[in-house]
Amino acid sequence: MRQPGRAWALLSASIFLATLAAQAVPKAVLDWQPGLAATEPWRWWTALFVHFSPLHLGANLLGLVLVAMLGLSARVPWPVSAAWFAAWPLTHLALLLQPALRHYGGLSGVLHAAVAIVAVHLLAQRAGRWIGAAVLGGLCIKVVSESPWLGPVQHTAGWDIGVAPIAHACGLVVGIACALVAGFLSRTRPDD
């Protein structure tokens, strides 16, 4: 997996296909529920596959395609993809910070983590520093503008589901943390 972007593309494609396949599974078996986080830890992973409407599914899959293209164009190495893989369950686990969020499903939290991870990666590259700063700055402004502290679910015009901005905030913070750990480990790892 030394070819830049390859692991990112494989992870993106796997999530895309698994999300489509999971639409046949009852949502209550897969969605995030804080009361079941300890006894049913698969939900740390499977919440990503749950979508509550066709619009929700379509928007998240489009977002996934854009995130895939972002990682490919940034030519992210496999440790950056590993950071995204680690951020996947950690983003959902961080939802415990908002126990009033009784159910959660969707890709948006993990997609926010992915964008943050690529932005941090770009910040560390001389050629991509300004792009990384702009992407990360824009993402931070977006998350803050959603006021995730106002409650677990917000109803926004144009959406047929409630939106959980806390998932976006958790994804941002977890994504930055995972990217920083991956960057540190990459610098301290002995050469092969």
Side-chain angles (χ1 to χ4, degrees), residues 13 47 65 89 92-93 95-96 113 122-123 161 170-171 179 183:
V65 169
H92 296 136
L93 192 57
L95 294 176
L96 289 172
L122 289 171
L123 275 169
I161 60 160
C170 289

Side-chain angles (χ1 to χ4, degrees), residues 40-76:
E40 298 180 1
W42 67 81
R43 292 174 186 273
W44 304 4
W45 296 93
T46 61
L48 167 122
F49 303 129
V50 175
H51 290 83
F52 297 108
S53 76
L55 176 62
H56 185 210
L57 175 64
N60 274 207
L61 290 178
L62 176 60
L64 178 60
V65 169
L66 294 174
V67 162
M69 291 171 29
L70 176 65
L72 284 169
S73 65
R75 299 180 45 82
V76 297

Side-chain angles (χ1 to χ4, degrees), residues 31-167:
D31 73 334
W32 172 258
Q33 297 180 38
L36 299 175
T39 58
E40 298 180 1
W42 67 81
R43 292 174 186 273
W44 304 4
W45 296 93
T46 61
L48 167 122
F49 303 129
V50 175
H51 290 83
F52 297 108
S53 76
L55 176 62
H56 185 210
L57 175 64
N60 274 207
L61 290 178
L62 176 60
L64 178 60
V65 169
L66 294 174
V67 162
M69 291 171 29
L70 176 65
L72 284 169
S73 65
R75 299 180 45 82
V76 297
W78 76 265
V80 174
S81 300
W84 185 23
F85 188 73
W88 177 353
L90 294 175
T91 296
H92 296 136
L93 192 57
L95 294 176
L96 289 172
L97 295 170
Q98 177 52 277
L101 183 62
R102 307 310 303 158
H103 293 271
Y104 171 77
L107 284 155
S108 62
V110 175
L111 293 178
H112 280 72
V115 172
I117 289 165
V118 173
V120 170
H121 167 72
L122 289 171
L123 275 169
Q125 310 301 311
R126 179 171 289 136
R129 189 165 292 142
W130 292 108
I131 294 170
V135 170
L136 191 59
L139 187 61
C140 289
I141 290 168
K142 177 198 179 288
V143 167
V144 169
S145 75
E146 292 175 329
S147 306
W149 55 86
L150 291 180
V153 177
Q154 297 176 17
H155 297 280
T156 307
W159 283 102
D160 57 355
I161 60 160
V163 176
I166 189 70

